[in-house]
């Protein structure tokens, strides 16, 4: 069972089952717990190849036992997401904890910019269970529908789920207007039906726009 204690600490009650968590995010536990370091970004040989090709790297640990374990990371706000067989796309740095039965991997989501020719890869979480994602400040969950597509600054993007199509478009960001952009500006556009999680502050990005 995942439950929040305040907005910045996640408590997970375990009865012999396991969770996967960001390495180093355990802050306390009671009962009997065993910790094992895992390689992240995907599972099995395919996951290893994907990580090598994409550079999408997560350092995970498996926590298994009886009792309660508490997780937190740099006082980030924590948001719980329930998956019912669907897939969650989340920036690897924003993923805190998942149920042990959920599958993690990487997904190619498009091109960062025509001039750079760089691919953009996102961590995926899939199956039935709960995941905890982090945001810098309280996350806002925005609904995307056929009538209302959504455009997001990449620095504020945290995660998305649902039947969404993702594309990249050139655009002008606030930092570009202020003369702080260092390269090609772009934005992420979502169309379809689903949810997008954004944070109220922007992570450090290349060209103000990764």
């Amino acid at each position: 069972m995942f439950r929040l204690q305040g907005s910045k600490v996640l408590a997970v009650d375990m009865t012999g089952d396991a969770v996967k968590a960001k390495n180093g995010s355990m802050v306390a536990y009671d009962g009997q717990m065993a910790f094992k370091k895992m390689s992240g970004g995907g599972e099995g040989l395919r996951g290893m190849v994907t990580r090598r090709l994409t550079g999408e790297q997560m350092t995970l640990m498996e926590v298994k036992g009886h009792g309660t374990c508490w997780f937190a990371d740099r006082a980030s706000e924590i948001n719980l997401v329930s998956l019912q067989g669907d897939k969650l796309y989340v920036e690897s740095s924003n993923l805190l904890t998942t149920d042990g039965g959920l599958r993690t991997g990487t997904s190619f989501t498009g091109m960062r910019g025509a001039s750079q020719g760089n691919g953009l890869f996102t961590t995926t979480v899939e199956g039935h269970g709960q995941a905890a994602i982090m945001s810098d400040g309280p996350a806002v969950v925005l609904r995307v529908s056929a009538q209302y597509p959504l455009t997001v600054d990449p620095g504020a993007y945290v995660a998305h789920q649902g039947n969404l199509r993702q594309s990249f478009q050139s655009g002008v960001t606030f930092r570009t207007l202020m003369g702080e952009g260092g390269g090609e500006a772009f934005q992420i556009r979502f169309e379809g039906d689903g949810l997008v999680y954004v944070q109220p502050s922007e992570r450090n990005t290349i060209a103000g726009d990764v």
Side-chain angles (χ1 to χ4, degrees):
M1 178 185 292
F2 284 24
R3 53 188 173 88
L4 292 177
Q5 292 200 205
S7 62
K8 299 180 181 181
V9 178
L10 172 70
V12 181
D13 300 316
M14 287 180 277
T15 56
D17 44 350
V19 298
K20 290 179 284 190
K22 185 175 183 178
N23 198 40
S25 62
M26 187 277 294
V27 294
Y29 71 90
D30 61 22
Q32 298 294 321
M33 298 288 171
F35 301 87
K36 181 175 70 174
K37 187 175 181 179
M38 305 171 62
S39 60
E43 297 162 354
L45 180 61
R46 182 178 178 183
M48 292 175 61
V49 173
T50 302
R51 289 195 306 278
R52 184 169 296 175
L53 291 176
T54 67
E56 176 74 359
Q57 190 69 38
M58 291 187 298
T59 305
L60 297 175
M61 60 180 178
E62 181 185 70
V63 184
K64 186 175 184 179
H66 293 79
T68 301
C69 197
W70 288 268
F71 300 93
D73 186 61
R74 301 179 185 180
S76 297
E77 299 281 336
I78 300 172
N79 312 270
L80 298 182
V81 180
S82 294
L83 297 177
Q84 304 296 327
D86 51 330
K87 184 181 292 186
L88 173 73
Y89 297 82
V90 57
E91 292 293 299
S92 61
S93 60
N94 293 96
L95 182 61
L96 178 65
T97 311
T98 71
D99 277 340
L102 291 175
R103 301 181 300 278
T104 57
T106 52
S107 175
F108 178 72
T109 58
M111 303 304 293
R112 287 182 176 172
S115 62
Q116 297 172 325
N118 294 327
L120 184 64
F121 295 85
T122 300
T123 295
T124 59
V125 182
E126 187 175 11
H128 291 81
Q130 285 188 299
I133 60 177
M134 299 179 293
S135 57
D136 186 4
V140 177
V141 185
L142 302 174
R143 165 68 67 177
V144 181
S145 66
Q147 295 81 11
Y148 297 100
L150 181 70
T151 302
V152 177
D153 186 299
Y157 168 78
V158 174
H160 73 273
Q161 65 184 129
N163 185 22
L164 293 176
R165 298 181 303 280
Q166 185 179 358
S167 60
F168 295 87
Q169 61 185 24
S170 296
V172 177
T173 67
F174 178 74
R175 279 169 294 177
T176 302
L177 290 174
M178 296 296 292
E180 297 177 0
E184 180 184 15
F186 73 95
Q187 298 162 337
I188 309 174
R189 181 178 174 86
F190 293 95
E191 298 175 277
D193 182 36
L195 301 174
V196 178
Y197 300 78
V198 297
Q199 59 187 9
S201 67
E202 296 181 353
R203 66 177 65 83
N204 292 329
T205 59
I206 302 171
D209 317 296
V210 165

